[in-house]
Amino acid sequence: MSAAEPAEAAPERAGEVASLLPLVRRVVGARVADPAVAEDLVQETLVRVLAALDRVAPETLEAYAVTTARNLVASLWRSTDRDRRNQHRVVDLRPVEQPGDELLVREKQDALTEAVTRLPDRERRLLLAHEVLGQDTGSLAAEVGSSAGAVAAQLNRTRARLRVEYLLSLERSEPPTDRCRPVLLALSSADRRRQRELDADRHLLECELCARLSGPLLGRGQRRDEETRIPIRADADIVAARQAAREMAQRVGFARTELTLVATAVSEIARNIVRFAGSGEVVVSVLRTPAAGVRIVARDTGPGIPDVEQALADGYSTYHGLGLGLPGARRLMDELTVESEMGRGTTVTMTKWRRGG
Ligand SMILES: [Zn+2]
């Protein structure tokens, strides 16, 4: 039901492709001023060169990369031109009325009021006594015959519940499943054990509402600086995943070339999720031991890969030579393992270590 492929040493031609990067950067940089756009084109060139490795002889690889980069720049100009011509149509489609700030503020206050009323009576009284009347935990404990520590813990749980109810009130709809509230509460209170019991990771992959709300909830509680979780549903999420990976790799001192390799692998794996699984997530974490590095875990709830070994074999690209597929991503990273279960989904775990120290 599940298969894992141990990582192999990166094939020697990966280094060859990485060594083309300065050249590709010069070609693109001479034609495109915006650094973010240029970086996208450099990555896209890299993807195409990697996808063509089996077809292109080593001595013509450089020429192939330059031609590819130039063609991509040219097609960017063509599409920019087209966008400019079509811009008025996009503008026409925009909603006429934008809600003003005042309205937004009132909406938030209403949601908070509603969230407070949804708390259990005891919890609401405790929270209001503490937050509004300024009563300290010691005197609250004396009133209810408990300890200051227990009261503080209860206040934390109540705040976690309030955050969940507040976000749900802003949504103006009840969550779609019975599991949503418990999962959101476990996230909000950073209760790892409860999250495991509820299989929260999986719920976030399957539930659009909870995936959306998990961002703000984790931002307050449990999200550590060394880990970022990006739900993947649409093309814009691919960009977010790529940026997160770059940022994390930069934080542990990756060189520029390696940042691009990591970002390229992440954007390809995220693209696979959008194309073949529909939804999933990418979790990027910083590694400090045994060496500096980044780890990327990409999960989806797609159909699964029937033959993982074949999918990892060179020359096998999931979309007909236009993308990296798993073998391409493996070339860019130091380690890559795949676990897949038919009908349940696929998890790809990739690691890259910082070079030179
Ligand atoms: Zn849910």
Side-chain angles (χ1 to χ4, degrees), residues 20 23-24 27-28 31 40-53 55-56 60-76 78 321-322:
L20 291 171
L23 172 70
V24 172
V27 171
V28 173
R31 292 163 173 79
D40 278 352
L41 290 176
V42 168
Q43 283 183 21
E44 189 58 36
T45 304
L46 198 63
V47 167
R48 306 228 173 164
V49 171
L50 276 161
L53 264 189
R55 294 183 277 118
V56 180
T60 57
L61 199 58
E62 205 173 278
Y64 183 85
V66 171
T67 310
T68 303
R70 283 189 185 142
N71 287 343
L72 283 171
V73 172
S75 67
L76 172 76
R78 280 196 298 277
L322 266 176

Side-chain angles (χ1 to χ4, degrees), residues 9 40 66-67 78 84 96 133 139 153 212 216 221 223 273-274 289 292 299 301:
D40 278 352
V66 171
T67 310
R78 280 196 298 277
R84 209 174 292 136
V96 184
L133 305 175
S139 75
R212 189 148 37 82
R223 198 191 95 179
I273 294 178
V274 173
T289 53
R299 295 187 190 91
T301 53

Side-chain angles (χ1 to χ4, degrees), residues 24-285:
V24 172
R25 282 220 169 83
R26 273 203 307 281
V27 171
V28 173
R31 292 163 173 79
V32 178
D34 183 330
V37 175
E39 182 60 26
D40 278 352
L41 290 176
V42 168
Q43 283 183 21
E44 189 58 36
T45 304
L46 198 63
V47 167
R48 306 228 173 164
V49 171
L50 276 161
L53 264 189
D54 302 324
R55 294 183 277 118
V56 180
E59 60 274 17
T60 57
L61 199 58
E62 205 173 278
Y64 183 85
V66 171
T67 310
T68 303
R70 283 189 185 142
N71 287 343
L72 283 171
V73 172
S75 67
L76 172 76
W77 290 130
R78 280 196 298 277
S79 65
T80 309
D81 215 40
R82 198 174 53 227
D83 287 350
R84 209 174 292 136
R85 284 201 304 276
N86 288 332
Q87 218 159 32
H88 67 281
R89 292 185 206 163
V90 178
V91 173
D92 290 347
L93 289 174
R94 284 191 188 142
V96 184
E97 281 177 326
Q98 298 283 347
D101 280 352
E102 202 182 309
L103 188 61
L104 213 63
V105 168
R106 200 182 326 140
E107 213 167 79
K108 285 183 174 172
Q109 280 169 349
D110 289 349
L112 187 60
T113 307
E114 191 184 334
V116 171
T117 62
R118 283 195 204 166
L119 291 174
D121 285 348
R122 244 189 77 244
E123 291 192 35
R124 184 173 56 243
R125 273 199 299 275
L126 188 68
L127 186 72
L128 295 178
H130 184 66
E131 303 277 339
V132 180
L133 305 175
Q135 199 172 345
D136 65 35
T137 50
S139 75
L140 284 168
E143 269 177 31
V144 295
S146 167
S147 72
V151 167
Q154 179 59 59
L155 280 168
N156 279 335
R157 284 194 297 276
T158 301
R159 287 192 196 98
R161 189 187 297 278
L162 186 64
R163 286 195 292 272
V164 171
E165 293 302 336
Y166 170 67
L167 290 172
L168 288 173
S169 308
L170 279 176
E171 291 290 321
R172 295 158 185 268
S173 65
E174 276 300 291
T177 76
D178 288 346
R179 185 165 275 224
C180 295
R181 260 200 179 80
V183 164
L184 291 171
L185 190 56
L187 293 174
S188 181
S189 54
D191 186 339
R192 291 268 188 194
R193 197 174 55 97
R194 187 80 183 119
Q195 288 170 28
R196 276 195 303 277
E197 281 169 10
L198 291 163
D199 203 355
D201 280 348
R202 178 150 194 99
H203 182 78
L204 291 185
L205 292 178
E206 291 169 339
C207 177
E208 199 203 335
L209 175 77
C210 290
R212 189 148 37 82
L213 298 187
S214 70
L217 285 177
L218 295 177
R220 284 173 196 249
Q222 142 201 13
R223 198 191 95 179
R224 291 168 295 140
D225 281 350
E226 312 240 305
E227 184 182 299
T228 309
R229 177 188 298 261
I230 303 108
I232 306 290
R233 279 161 209 283
D235 285 346
D237 304 325
I238 301 173
V239 177
R242 184 171 69 204
Q243 283 167 349
R246 261 188 94 83
E247 191 196 304
M248 289 289 186
Q250 209 157 17
R251 201 177 298 173
V252 284
F254 274 57
R256 200 174 168 207
T257 296
E258 299 198 304
L259 292 178
T260 300
L261 300 183
V262 171
T264 304
V266 170
S267 81
E268 289 303 296
I269 294 297
R271 198 177 298 184
N272 281 347
I273 294 178
V274 173
R275 290 198 182 179
F276 301 112
S279 76
E281 65 171 8
V282 167
V283 180
V284 186
S285 13

